[in-house]
Amino acid sequence: GFLARREHGLIHFHRGECAPQPEAVQLPVPGEAAVSFAGVRVRADALPMPADASSLMERAEDRRVFVSADALAMPLSVRARRPGDRFRPLGAPGRKKLKDLFIDRKVPRHQRDRVPLVVDGEGRIVWVVGHAIADPFKLTGGEQQVVKLEASQR
């Protein structure tokens, strides 16, 4: 009835069983989704593009991002990571394994399955919640609409 995990030279024991892969949750725009495996709520709102795109960028933070509605394939959903997940982080020259992003950001291995991913209708990772948006969904200034994505504790 115990699980053990090795992390940074230490072994941690805890009660429990291996949980099955959580199901993806639909994220309506506008609307919100309760993401039980991560203990968060993700909200999506469509906004008109302001005259000055930099004003949105100033309001962005780890738990609130703005992405191009034009680049998204609807519907959006929120899911946990899967083996082999890849995406192109904002400003990066190429694709990166999600696992490598977590290693670079020093996200402990036992927490990685609890990081929600917002994906579009084509299965492309749009936002690694709290960490990075994907480059193809960045604001360029020519968009008609913007989607604001925001995560909060449940």
Side-chain angles (χ1 to χ4, degrees):
F2 283 90
L3 293 175
R5 73 173 189 273
R6 183 179 55 112
E7 190 173 284
H8 303 293
L10 298 173
I11 297 176
H12 300 271
F13 293 93
H14 58 96
R15 290 189 182 271
E17 299 175 9
C18 291
Q21 182 74 12
E23 294 291 320
V25 179
Q26 292 295 311
L27 177 59
V29 179
E32 69 179 30
V35 186
S36 59
F37 70 86
V40 299
R41 296 183 87 67
V42 178
R43 177 153 190 83
D45 290 298
L47 308 171
M49 181 65 167
D52 181 18
S54 64
S55 66
L56 289 179
M57 301 312 287
E58 291 171 1
R59 294 177 26 212
E61 52 189 52
D62 287 347
R63 295 281 180 163
R64 181 187 318 125
V65 297
F66 299 89
V67 296
S68 170
D70 301 341
L72 295 171
M74 295 298 179
L76 297 181
S77 58
V78 184
R79 66 170 175 83
R81 71 180 180 143
R82 295 179 182 152
D85 272 342
R86 292 175 164 273
F87 82 118
R88 184 174 170 209
L90 183 63
R95 292 170 53 88
K96 185 174 199 159
K97 288 182 182 178
L98 189 58
K99 173 184 172 181
D100 292 338
L101 174 81
F102 288 149
I103 291 169
D104 293 348
R105 298 277 176 113
K106 297 182 178 15
V107 177
R109 188 176 291 164
H110 72 279
Q111 292 178 1
R112 295 175 191 171
D113 288 332
R114 296 195 61 207
V115 175
L117 307 175
V118 175
V119 297
D120 75 352
E122 296 176 4
R124 300 176 297 172
I125 296 173
V126 175
W127 182 32
V128 180
V129 176
H131 295 281
I133 66 168
D135 196 76
F137 304 101
K138 70 182 175 194
L139 297 179
T140 61
E143 294 85 8
Q144 296 298 314
Q145 274 201 319
V146 173
V147 174
K148 176 177 84 167
L149 299 170
E150 194 164 19
S152 60
Q153 296 296 329
R154 286 181 37 181

